[in-house]
Amino acid sequence: DAKTTQPPSMDCAEGRAANLPCNHSTISGNEYVYWYRQIHSQGPQYIIHGLKNNETNEMASLIITEDRKSSTLILPHATLRDTAVYYCIVRAYMNYGGATNKLIFGTGTLLAVQP
Amino acid sequence: DTAVSQTPKYLVTQMGNDKSIKCEQNLGHDTMYWYKQDSKKFLKIMFSYNNKELIINETVPNRFSPKSPDKAHLNLHINSLELGDSAVYFCASSLVGSSYNSPLHFGNGTRLTVT
């Protein structure tokens, strides 16, 4: 069962930053926060993940609160091609076998980038 | 080069038939997965294989039988297809080490329609 809570939908103007929030108040010490997105008719695409420090890559930035109970995915300059469902997922970073390898998807946030 | 490829992309068949979906990854990963995305867009894990060994088997009817001939391939065979099997099936792969779970890479899905 998903252990994260996300708003069902958000709008963002093209060229502006998109800030997608996620609550994961029951996150365990051995769990990372992962973000994926699914563009219509495609497979989920990995974006970024982090444990407790803020992370940045070529796609996005991830800000994790100090208590690790929530995080925000930031797309710095949203484009129309960023319109997708964004999933926030918590997952163990160690291989404890079997169930810990599962990536459990919730309902995600539908981000609509407007021209 | 396609990292995770699935065939066929579309599959239309009648109730009661048996069909297979194939998946191949060229990422050198040791773990592969099957996910099902139903009409409500909810993504749910079905199976996972690590080094050809079944490690995750969710509550899936035994009409579904995964087979992993080697680490790079995971096929899904479905017997006696039912209307409720209509969905998009996604294959994914990852690297699971003793101390590390890599992000999952997904294929672009197989849309199965049972009539």
Side-chain angles (χ1 to χ4, degrees), chain A residues 10-58:
Chain A
M10 292 182 64
D11 287 343
C12 177
E14 190 177 18
R16 306 297 291 268
N19 298 286
L20 293 98
C22 179
N23 286 322
H24 32 79
S25 57
T26 60
I27 192 170
S28 302
N30 66 349
E31 289 179 321
Y32 272 92
V33 179
Y34 284 79
W35 283 84
Y36 283 75
R37 73 180 182 184
Q38 187 174 24
I39 296 170
H40 181 62
S41 298
Q42 296 182 20
Q45 177 190 23
Y46 165 75
I47 301 172
I48 199 168
H49 72 284
L51 182 64
K52 53 184 178 182
N53 296 323
N54 298 338
E55 302 287 345
T56 295
N57 62 20
E58 65 279 4

Side-chain angles (χ1 to χ4, degrees), chain B residues 44-87:
Chain B
K44 188 173 170 61
I45 190 167
M46 300 173 67
F47 301 103
S48 176
Y49 272 75
N50 174 257
N51 286 315
K52 302 193 295 178
E53 180 182 347
L54 182 66
I55 56 170
I56 296 174
N57 186 351
E58 295 295 291
T59 307
V60 177
N62 56 17
R63 298 182 294 104
F64 290 77
S65 52
K67 282 189 171 55
S68 182
D70 55 58
K71 288 194 299 184
H73 295 85
L74 180 62
N75 303 323
L76 184 65
H77 187 76
I78 314 171
N79 290 327
S80 303
L81 278 155
E82 300 177 356
L83 292 176
D85 297 332
S86 295

Side-chain angles (χ1 to χ4, degrees), chain A residues 36 38 91-92 95 101 103, chain B residues 35 37 56 96-97 101-102 104:
Chain A
Y36 283 75
Q38 187 174 24
R91 177 174 178 240
N95 174 26
N101 296 328
L103 206 63
Chain B
Y35 279 79
Q37 187 166 41
I56 296 174
V96 177
N101 276 331
S102 80
L104 271 66

